[in-house]
Amino acid sequence: MDDINKYGNQTIYIILLQKRHKNLYTNIKRLFNLELGLPSQVVLNGIVNHKNSVSIASKVLFQMSAKLNNRLWRIQSSKLSIMNVGVEFYHKLTTKKESCVGIVANINS
């Protein structure tokens, strides 16, 4: 951990995993987010050879940019106050009983 703190000028850490390991992923995120307070992105090595690798890579870059508090999109307006709202729904199709919604909003002045 001292080595990580020594390089404080790093802004995001990318961790490549050979295959999906739920416990390893959970432990990595816990270490970086809770214990070290450092932004991180875990990427599976298999995306390199995936048929949609360019699309996946662009989504990963969006996630990394958002974790660094960068704006992903901007609406040009004159003197209007605009509230941006994003809504995402999840429905578990197999049971048709579990659903979840996430909402985010901001006002840029």
Side-chain angles (χ1 to χ4, degrees), residues 4-69:
I4 293 174
N5 292 331
K6 181 171 66 174
Y7 299 107
N9 60 345
Q10 301 295 323
T11 55
I12 192 163
Y13 294 87
I14 302 171
I15 298 95
L16 294 172
L17 296 180
Q18 277 298 102
K19 34 183 165 166
R20 190 178 303 267
H21 295 287
K22 184 178 180 186
N23 291 338
L24 181 58
Y25 173 83
T26 302
N27 290 334
I28 289 170
K29 295 309 272 186
R30 183 178 295 127
L31 171 68
F32 277 88
N33 291 346
L34 299 178
E35 294 180 25
L36 299 175
L38 298 170
S40 64
Q41 181 68 46
V42 178
V43 178
L44 291 176
N45 195 26
I47 70 164
V48 175
N49 295 325
H50 195 277
K51 66 179 181 177
N52 295 327
S53 61
V54 173
S55 175
I56 294 170
S58 66
K59 290 176 184 173
V60 169
L61 288 173
F62 279 138
Q63 289 177 20
M64 291 169 57
S65 184
K67 289 176 183 179
L68 295 172
N69 296 322

Side-chain angles (χ1 to χ4, degrees), residues 77 79-83 107-109:
S77 63
K79 295 182 181 180
L80 299 174
S81 293
I82 296 177
M83 175 182 270
I107 298 176
N108 294 332
S109 54

Side-chain angles (χ1 to χ4, degrees), residues 75-108:
I75 298 172
Q76 296 292 335
S77 63
S78 55
K79 295 182 181 180
L80 299 174
S81 293
I82 296 177
M83 175 182 270
N84 299 311
V85 179
V87 180
E88 178 72 27
F89 295 95
Y90 167 78
H91 303 289
K92 190 161 189 173
L93 298 176
T94 55
T95 62
K96 297 184 181 179
K97 293 183 180 180
E98 297 177 32
S99 294
C100 181
V101 64
I103 301 172
V104 63
N106 71 352
I107 298 176
N108 294 332

